[in-house]
Amino acid sequence: MAGRFCGVLALLAVFLSGLDASRPAINQELSNIFNELWTLDVNRMTPATDYTISVQGRANYVTQGSHVVTDRASQPLFSNVNEIKLQNITTFTRLMKLLDNYERSTGVAERVTTEEQTEMNLFLDAVLNTEVMKRAHRYLVSKGQSNSNLRIFKNQLRLIWFNLYHRKRNSALDSCGFEHVFVGETKSGSEIIGFHNWVQFYLQEKSTHLDYKGYKARDHDLPDHDDHVLNLQFSWHGLVKPVGSAFIGTSPEFEMALFTIVFLMNTERSTTVLVNVDQCQMELVVIRHGRSLGTAYPKLLSSNSRHVGHH
């Protein structure tokens, strides 16, 4: 099971996507390093062992800002998660400590207390201590994008992920890349922005602030309980995210490593790279906010491939 991430017919999908000239070509170099990181990700949770998801129904089309949505999933997305394991993995426990440090609404100033500063430092230390981030660091050094000095690299990660900036014009310092991607934010009281992390999804769902509405996919595409990327629809504190996407089960260091590499290897304001990670084809989207991260998320393209011969 371990090797099956999205289906063995991925090669067919690669061939078919080659016929679609509008899509960028597979970035082979990044695919290679990301697969190395995938293999090194010992903290990743295993589907059906460490957690169980039930994808249920396909979500309906909803316009951004609409609060009326048909629920195509009567059960939660996560039917269970091994919390004992989560509590025993340093990067996960330190991630969870950070999730309550932010103001949900954009336009509201973030006040960073000394305690929160310490939590952020401890989280970065834990991430830097993993084989995943060590390998990502070596790769970035080899590309001339990062300094081999660990302290300088840590400051670079802090600037990318935790530097506060104005997401709303003329407002307070109200946002940062980490908050946007891992925690989620609301804008003008009418829409959810960001929110691409499965641990936050699980915790918010468990505390009933969040309601999963169903998966988003192409017509013949049926996501599976062991997919590691999902496109989904949900409501959070009464607001609806028509289409969101997240890695499922992956460690925070894996996600940070991937997006940090895409961020540093490109200079455009908005970057989309097409990669194959463990037999699954996805786009990684990174949008910058100056020298920091505006947003970053995966977009599953072909889990499709595994059903090609099944209908």
Side-chain angles (χ1 to χ4, degrees):
M1 265 329 258
R4 187 163 118 9
F5 177 17
C6 257
V8 282
L9 296 171
L11 283 172
L12 176 62
V14 174
F15 169 71
L16 293 172
S17 75
L19 304 176
D20 174 8
S22 64
R23 185 173 289 168
I26 297 275
N27 187 318
Q28 201 47 59
E29 184 183 333
L30 287 184
S31 296
N32 294 346
I33 180 71
F34 294 163
N35 280 298
E36 265 190 70
L37 298 179
W38 176 261
T39 308
L40 289 170
D41 192 13
V42 293
N43 290 337
R44 181 172 65 247
M45 299 274 160
T46 310
T49 308
D50 301 321
Y51 69 89
T52 311
I53 61 170
S54 81
V55 292
Q56 302 167 79
R58 182 192 302 275
N60 290 359
Y61 173 78
V62 179
T63 55
Q64 181 68 276
S66 165
H67 307 309
V68 184
V69 56
T70 315
D71 197 342
R72 304 303 302 275
S74 53
Q75 301 301 311
L77 175 63
F78 288 94
S79 39
N80 77 298
V81 172
N82 181 344
E83 290 203 20
I84 292 160
K85 185 165 178 178
L86 270 186
Q87 297 293 350
N88 281 320
I89 297 173
T90 315
T91 51
F92 279 117
T93 54
R94 293 185 180 175
L95 169 77
M96 292 188 286
K97 278 203 160 66
L98 290 175
L99 296 176
D100 63 1
N101 288 358
Y102 294 94
E103 289 287 347
R104 206 162 55 240
S105 177
T106 54
V108 179
E110 293 297 341
R111 306 229 178 284
V112 184
T113 65
T114 329
E115 186 192 1
E116 290 173 351
Q117 199 73 38
T118 306
E119 289 175 352
M120 179 192 73
N121 263 313
L122 288 171
F123 172 68
L124 282 176
D125 288 342
V127 164
L128 286 163
N129 213 11
T130 62
E131 291 309 314
V132 167
M133 197 51 97
K134 286 175 182 170
R135 178 67 188 98
H137 184 203
R138 287 198 303 277
Y139 175 77
L140 287 164
V141 170
S142 76
K143 291 293 179 183
Q145 297 302 323
S146 294
N147 193 298
S148 58
N149 178 313
L150 205 57
R151 207 174 43 118
I152 297 176
F153 181 54
K154 182 181 173 180
N155 281 330
Q156 188 180 29
L157 288 180
R158 187 188 284 116
L159 174 64
I160 294 171
W161 289 94
F162 289 98
N163 179 49
L164 290 176
Y165 51 72
H166 311 269
R167 190 170 291 275
K168 220 176 146 183
R169 263 212 299 263
N170 309 326
S171 75
L173 292 172
D174 62 346
S175 187
C176 69
F178 175 85
E179 178 190 7
H180 187 83
V181 174
F182 282 87
V183 188
E185 304 179 278
T186 60
K187 186 174 147 192
S188 320
S190 66
E191 52 184 298
I192 298 167
I193 56 173
F195 202 133
H196 300 287
N197 179 256
W198 74 271
V199 179
Q200 169 72 335
F201 194 101
Y202 163 67
L203 294 172
Q204 292 296 307
E205 186 174 62
K206 188 181 147 187
S207 65
T208 69
H209 296 312
L210 183 149
D211 186 19
Y212 170 63
K213 303 294 185 187
Y215 68 88
K216 296 294 286 185
R218 299 196 192 117
D219 284 352
H220 299 303
D221 198 357
L222 302 169
D224 221 326
H225 62 88
D226 57 359
D227 278 356
H228 277 288
V229 181
L230 275 184
N231 302 332
L232 33 82
Q233 187 179 90
F234 61 94
S235 67
W236 185 42
H237 290 282
L239 303 180
V240 173
K241 178 106 181 175
V243 189
S245 59
F247 282 104
I248 307 286
T250 47
S251 69
E253 59 268 27
F254 177 79
E255 296 177 43
M256 281 185 94
L258 253 63
F259 293 131
T260 299
I261 288 173
V262 176
F263 181 91
L264 289 170
M265 295 301 292
N266 296 279
T267 51
E268 307 82 64
R269 198 182 91 72
S270 173
T271 301
T272 301
V273 293
L274 183 60
V275 290
N276 284 329
V277 182
D278 192 35
Q279 299 183 318
C280 183
Q281 193 174 107
M282 66 185 85
E283 285 180 344
L284 297 176
V285 180
V286 166
I287 297 174
R288 60 185 63 239
H289 196 287
R291 293 167 62 206
S292 302
L293 186 71
T295 188
Y297 54 90
K299 212 162 103 193
L300 183 62
L301 291 182
S302 63
S303 60
N304 211 357
S305 51
R306 70 173 161 250
H307 303 288
V308 168
H310 298 198
H311 46 254

